[in-house]
Amino acid sequence: MVDLKVPGGIYSIIAGIDIVRACNPDGSGTYYVLEDNLRVPSGVSYMLENRKMMMRLFPDLFAEHRIAPVAHYPDLLLDTLRAMAPASVNEPTAVVLTPGMYNSAYFEHAFLAQQMGIELVEGKDLFVKDDFVYMRTTRGPQRVDVIYRRLDDDFMDPEVFRKDSSLGVPGMLRAYRAGNVTLANAFGTGIADDKSIYPYVPKMIEFYLGEKPILQNVPTYICREKDDLKYTLDNLADLVVKEVHGAGGYGMLVGPAATKAEVEAFREVLMTNPTNYIAQPTLSLSTCPTFVESGIAPRHIDLRPFVLSGKTVQMVPGGLTRVALKEGSLVVNSSQGGGTKDTWVLET
């Protein structure tokens, strides 16, 4: 990627930004950016399907309230992808690249391809010739100009990354470096997902943009730093500790919800490899009425709006609200038993 000029200078064409509202003792709330997802953010299909289901089940509510639509997201996504195609292409061909049907997000890959009216492909459906990417079709090879990849970097090109990958396309990086194909998102964007980068984002905003961030980050202790590690170890039972490379709610400790034995076991892991962890205060996340087995009850939530960055920055007025369905739980990830809700933005 050294010296590679990505189209428009935009590395993350599609971003999912996790936002939480922390309840203050006086009843007010403070919004924080909890996490950035700039590699292969997922979940937008649930935003669209949740809206369809709510409109079907509660049509009267939509008749009574002016709820901003989200159904045009696939159109915005396709327009954004095509707008970022190589400059020499007039009618770009875009595809969605999936690892295959055994991937946990395969439904979303197929759904978005169908909604955008473009092909869903696996690595074996593509090949590189003369530094151009082609798709195998029944009518012969067809050039591909934009790839919305749902495949991690390591598997994308066995020529330069994992040589045992059968999911990627040999020569993909050569075509990318030659400027003959656009990848959404670019190689390397996963570094911004890393939780050890997260504490520095406000400083990046000030340095590069000369602005103060509108939304603050959650206060974060970087365990590779001596003072932060000491504070974390002294207050482990009150903090949330996360792996810097972790995702999906795995490899973390929620101190207030853990037993003494779990806290002490995690202390040993943390002391063994402190550079692998960050710590944050346990926020009192806002809740939303949720229908569970016992009836209507409060459950903690966060919000993931999806941001499209192309010639302009665009969003639909909504997002993916994730719900921690277990009583008292702060972990909203679907892999940890979380659910989702439709998200309404009312039009004035």
Side-chain angles (χ1 to χ4, degrees):
M1 292 294 290
V2 175
D3 297 329
L4 195 157
K5 306 298 183 188
V6 299
I10 299 172
Y11 281 78
S12 289
I13 295 173
I14 303 134
I17 312 300
D18 292 345
I19 297 172
V20 295
R21 179 181 181 271
C23 299
N24 301 322
D26 62 1
S28 63
T30 303
Y31 287 93
Y32 292 103
V33 174
L34 181 66
E35 196 169 284
D36 300 299
N37 298 281
L38 305 179
R39 180 175 44 193
V40 283
S42 63
V44 75
S45 61
Y46 298 106
M47 173 189 78
L48 298 171
E49 287 293 277
N50 287 347
R51 177 59 56 87
K52 286 183 181 179
M53 187 61 66
M54 286 294 290
M55 292 181 73
R56 186 182 306 166
L57 295 176
F58 301 99
D60 292 346
L61 287 177
F62 286 85
E64 295 171 6
H65 302 280
R66 297 188 51 169
I67 301 164
V70 296
H72 58 295
Y73 175 85
D75 296 331
L76 290 183
L77 175 57
L78 182 58
D79 289 346
T80 301
L81 293 173
R82 286 178 168 166
M84 300 309 294
S88 59
V89 181
N90 292 324
E91 293 293 332
T93 297
V95 299
V96 177
L97 175 61
T98 176
M101 63 183 295
Y102 296 108
N103 185 269
S104 60
Y106 181 73
F107 161 76
E108 176 159 296
H109 309 164
F111 177 82
L112 288 176
Q114 184 268 333
Q115 291 292 304
M116 289 189 286
I118 62 177
E119 296 295 333
L120 177 70
V121 300
E122 298 181 28
K124 61 188 177 184
D125 300 318
L126 304 177
F127 67 93
V128 174
K129 182 179 179 181
D130 299 328
D131 292 345
F132 287 91
V133 180
Y134 293 91
M135 171 173 51
R136 294 181 172 90
T137 76
T138 55
R139 293 171 292 179
Q142 179 180 351
R143 180 177 163 182
V144 173
D145 308 297
V146 184
I147 299 175
Y148 176 21
R149 66 179 182 105
R150 299 302 296 262
L151 194 60
D152 286 343
D153 292 5
D154 289 354
F155 301 94
M156 281 291 292
D157 186 346
E159 282 188 3
V160 292
F161 299 122
R162 284 187 54 159
K163 300 190 184 307
D164 62 344
S165 172
S166 60
L167 302 176
V169 183
M172 178 68 75
L173 186 58
R174 282 190 284 108
Y176 193 40
R177 288 190 60 84
N180 295 328
V181 68
T182 297
L183 296 179
N185 289 332
F187 289 129
T189 50
I191 193 172
D193 292 356
D194 194 301
K195 294 176 179 62
S196 62
I197 299 295
Y198 168 87
Y200 301 102
V201 173
K203 293 180 180 179
M204 295 179 195
I205 293 171
E206 291 188 46
F207 181 84
Y208 288 106
L209 302 179
E211 302 174 1
K212 293 283 186 181
I214 297 171
L215 293 175
Q216 297 300 316
N217 277 17
V218 178
T220 302
Y221 303 96
I222 305 167
C223 294
R224 66 172 175 268
E225 297 184 2
K226 183 178 178 181
D227 291 343
D228 284 8
L229 176 60
K230 182 180 185 305
Y231 179 87
T232 300
L233 291 172
D234 291 345
N235 298 274
L236 202 53
D238 300 318
L239 299 172
V240 175
V241 188
K242 304 175 181 178
E243 282 187 310
V244 295
H245 306 302
Y250 294 105
M252 63 185 291
L253 173 78
V254 181
T259 64
K260 287 186 178 181
E262 289 171 335
V263 170
E264 292 310 311
F266 202 92
R267 185 188 303 277
E268 295 298 321
V269 174
L270 177 57
M271 291 174 65
T272 301
N273 187 14
T275 61
N276 197 41
Y277 294 92
I278 62 165
Q280 296 171 334
T282 305
L283 301 178
S284 178
L285 298 186
S286 58
T287 62
C288 184
T290 304
F291 184 69
V292 293
E293 288 185 6
S294 59
I296 302 294
R299 290 293 185 267
H300 295 295
I301 57 173
D302 77 356
L303 173 66
R304 178 178 292 181
F306 294 89
V307 183
L308 300 175
S309 301
K311 301 295 185 184
T312 59
V313 177
Q314 300 182 88
M315 298 171 61
V316 294
L320 176 67
T321 293
R322 301 186 299 175
V323 190
L325 292 177
K326 298 177 184 176
E327 185 176 1
S329 174
L330 298 173
V331 182
V332 298
N333 305 76
S334 58
S335 57
Q336 302 292 311
T340 64
K341 282 180 174 288
D342 190 16
T343 308
W344 293 2
V345 176
L346 299 183
E347 294 181 325
T348 56

